Amino acid sequence: MEFIMSQNHPITPSARLAIIGLGYVGLPLARLFATKYSVVGFDINQQRISELNNGIDLTLEVEEALLKSVLVDKSSNEIGLYCSNQLADIADCNYYIVTVPTPVDKHNKPDLTPLYKASETVAKVLKKGDIVIYESTVYPGVTEEECVPVLEKLSGLKFNEDFFAGYSPERINPGDKEHTVEKILKVTAGSTPEIGKKVDDLYSSVVTAGTHLAPTIKVAEAAKVIENSQRDINIAFVNELAKIFNILEIDTQAVLEAAGTKWNFLPFKPGLVGGHCIGVDPYYLAQKALEAGYHPEIILAGRRMNDSMGEYVASQVVKLMIKKEIVLHEAQLLLLGVTFKENCPDVRNTKIVDIVHALKEYGIHITIYDPWAKPEEVQHEYGIETIQTLPDSTFDAVVLGVAHKEFAALDMASLTKDRNVIYDVKGFLSGNVDGRL
């Protein structure tokens, strides 16, 4: 592979990129790269491919006009984006960027299956001189010790002689229209110093916030996995504070507001910790630590605390209902929101379902209203029924679980009966409520 180096374009526009996985991470990245390069977005979901080639992104991460502005025809070799599920369409690429999810299984063990399958896909078309870059969040060593052997075995090529690897961890924040991919500094790394420079040049050509070239792939992998582990631990701390202050009948939000007047106080808030990053990544780091013979006490303690919060919220709601003499097994409860975060349709690893399961054990009838979440997706993932239109009825209890912007204007009085409970998980509702996390 030859590269034309210049001050404005370190990587020649003739470089052809394949983005493997077109979800919340892959599509925004593909759209961005397509402003300067010929990009093929690859995904195994045919329906997703059809939608994207028509300018429709149901994840709402890329607006229709923005997506359509970079779309090109399949036969075109021009700068732009074409989406496909056909292996032949990525065969002539020389950069392969893997952006598939890295979940955990039911035992909270890292599940690298999507990463293995994506590596197998790339290996089938891998050629001499190609560079394979991984963006998926992993524990240190996965790229070179787990993915590269798959690439070598199926391609018959030798690592760091025939092909090379890079790593640039994703920093996408779903639903955030301000901190978009080009505005977030990107960490980069390569399997050799020379490849590291090429990977860094590639990303720096489109990421206006800049890049940080890490000395090795393992350093970059470790940097990513501790970002979310650090947030997880800090949230676990304030969640524990919330439990303590609730017992002491002290307003947690007021305490945090007072403490926040100090310049170096970290402004974390209590809440449910779900999603595909913060609620998952610490388990990846913990797994690697355990394999190395070290038991990570703080990381796992933070996870236990945060994983317990759904059941804790449910117990607090039930206590408030009992105090108001609401009969639990006949009670009607409205749950506002089911996604893992506000103003986003993403329901992956949402901890709202923990609240649902805990409340149902008391025989409470639950109506879940979320204007963002797709009912069919929630049903498929969790077997839970949701609605996208606010019901015309009143409830014994209302629990705000997600701070969607639509909920700010709701009239709680019109939703509740005379004897009722209003519980605000997010500290989002104005006026008096019966309980807050």
Side-chain angles (χ1 to χ4, degrees):
M1 258 189 324
E2 295 183 356
F3 297 86
I4 300 173
M5 308 296 290
S6 72
Q7 185 175 358
N8 295 324
H9 300 286
I11 305 294
T12 175
S14 64
R16 187 167 171 82
L17 282 59
I19 309 296
I20 313 299
L22 295 175
Y24 285 85
V25 174
L27 181 62
L29 187 69
R31 195 285 309 170
L32 178 60
F33 273 125
T35 61
K36 287 194 176 182
Y37 303 100
S38 176
V39 179
V40 181
F42 182 89
D43 199 287
I44 59 174
N45 187 330
Q46 175 59 55
Q47 182 177 346
R48 173 75 168 156
I49 293 300
S50 298
E51 291 167 352
L52 293 178
N53 280 329
N54 284 300
I56 301 171
D57 171 28
L58 294 182
T59 69
L60 307 180
E61 288 302 302
V62 180
E63 295 178 357
E64 183 175 343
L66 195 59
L67 179 56
K68 286 184 175 180
S69 70
V70 297
L71 291 176
V72 295
D73 293 333
K74 177 180 179 179
S75 58
S76 174
N77 289 319
E78 300 176 357
I79 291 174
L81 171 66
Y82 174 73
C83 301
S84 173
N85 67 341
Q86 299 300 310
L87 200 61
D89 290 332
I90 62 172
D92 62 345
C93 294
N94 43 30
Y95 283 89
Y96 295 91
I97 303 178
V98 177
T99 63
V100 297
T102 43
V104 293
D105 63 19
K106 62 180 181 180
H107 303 295
N108 291 322
K109 299 294 184 183
D111 180 5
L112 299 178
T113 302
L115 213 50
Y116 289 141
K117 291 187 177 298
S119 298
E120 291 171 358
T121 296
V122 172
K124 294 174 183 177
V125 294
L126 198 61
K127 308 171 297 300
K128 286 190 175 183
D130 289 350
I131 299 176
V132 185
I133 304 168
Y134 290 88
E135 288 222 355
S136 306
T137 304
V138 294
Y139 54 78
V142 166
T143 298
E144 293 159 298
E145 297 167 12
E146 300 289 341
C147 299
V148 164
V150 174
L151 296 172
E152 283 189 313
K153 181 178 179 180
L154 294 183
S155 70
L157 301 175
K158 190 169 180 59
F159 178 51
N160 276 343
E161 290 185 15
D162 299 323
F163 74 94
F164 305 91
Y167 186 75
S168 183
E170 60 91 359
R171 280 178 167 172
I172 293 290
N173 187 25
D176 190 338
K177 302 307 179 185
E178 180 181 355
H179 301 97
T180 51
V181 60
E182 65 268 32
K183 297 177 183 177
I184 303 174
L185 192 142
K186 210 77 161 65
V187 173
T188 61
S191 55
T192 69
E194 294 77 17
I195 295 303
K197 181 64 167 61
K198 290 178 179 179
V199 171
D200 192 69
D201 285 343
L202 178 67
Y203 280 92
S204 64
S205 68
V206 293
V207 178
T208 56
T211 59
H212 173 87
L213 177 57
T216 66
I217 287 176
K218 285 184 179 179
V219 167
E221 290 170 327
K224 170 56 182 176
V225 80
I226 71 166
E227 289 176 17
N228 290 326
S229 297
Q230 182 187 65
R231 287 182 56 79
D232 192 45
I233 291 167
N234 278 291
I235 296 171
F237 173 61
V238 293
N239 275 337
E240 186 164 57
L241 292 180
K243 289 184 176 182
I244 294 171
F245 294 145
N246 282 341
I247 294 172
L248 300 177
E249 297 184 348
I250 299 173
D251 186 336
T252 302
Q253 299 298 328
V255 172
L256 294 176
E257 183 179 346
T261 59
K262 188 166 187 250
W263 76 92
N264 60 353
F265 183 80
L266 301 178
F268 286 91
K269 295 182 179 180
L272 305 176
V273 184
H276 62 292
C277 290
I278 301 178
V280 172
D281 296 351
Y283 286 122
Y284 272 72
L285 184 56
Q287 176 65 26
K288 188 62 176 179
L290 290 169
E291 290 176 359
Y294 179 81
H295 181 76
E297 296 183 17
I298 294 177
I299 293 172
L300 292 179
R303 278 283 76 232
R304 287 192 296 272
M305 172 58 67
N306 288 338
D307 278 345
S308 73
M309 294 309 292
E311 188 171 343
Y312 174 76
V313 166
S315 69
Q316 294 298 105
V317 172
V318 167
K319 288 179 182 178
L320 290 169
M321 294 173 72
I322 292 174
K323 284 183 179 180
K324 293 196 176 185
E325 299 181 344
I326 298 172
V327 180
L328 297 181
H329 73 273
E330 297 176 358
Q332 297 288 334
L333 183 145
L334 175 64
L335 180 56
L336 299 173
V338 74
T339 60
F340 93 88
K341 66 177 296 186
E342 65 275 6
N343 307 323
C344 172
D346 196 348
V347 298
R348 290 176 296 172
N349 194 34
T350 175
K351 293 304 178 181
I352 297 295
V353 298
D354 293 350
I355 299 177
V356 174
H357 294 321
L359 289 174
K360 283 186 175 180
E361 290 183 1
Y362 294 93
I364 298 172
H365 301 282
I366 305 171
T367 299
I368 306 174
Y369 163 55
D370 193 315
W372 288 80
K374 305 177 188 66
E376 61 273 16
E377 184 177 352
V378 181
Q379 180 66 42
H380 178 266
E381 290 293 325
Y382 304 107
I384 295 174
E385 182 180 346
T386 62
I387 56 177
Q388 290 186 302
T389 302
L390 188 65
D392 184 19
S393 54
T394 56
F395 299 85
D396 298 292
V398 176
V399 177
L400 182 132
V402 186
H404 290 319
K405 59 186 179 183
E406 288 86 351
F407 298 157
L410 289 182
D411 179 9
M412 291 295 138
S414 67
L415 295 173
T416 53
K417 301 176 182 178
D418 292 337
R419 184 176 56 187
N420 60 72
V421 167
I422 300 175
Y423 192 92
D424 185 0
V425 175
K426 300 292 292 184
F428 180 70
L429 297 175
S430 58
N432 294 326
V433 298
D434 297 284
R436 285 192 174 94
L437 185 57

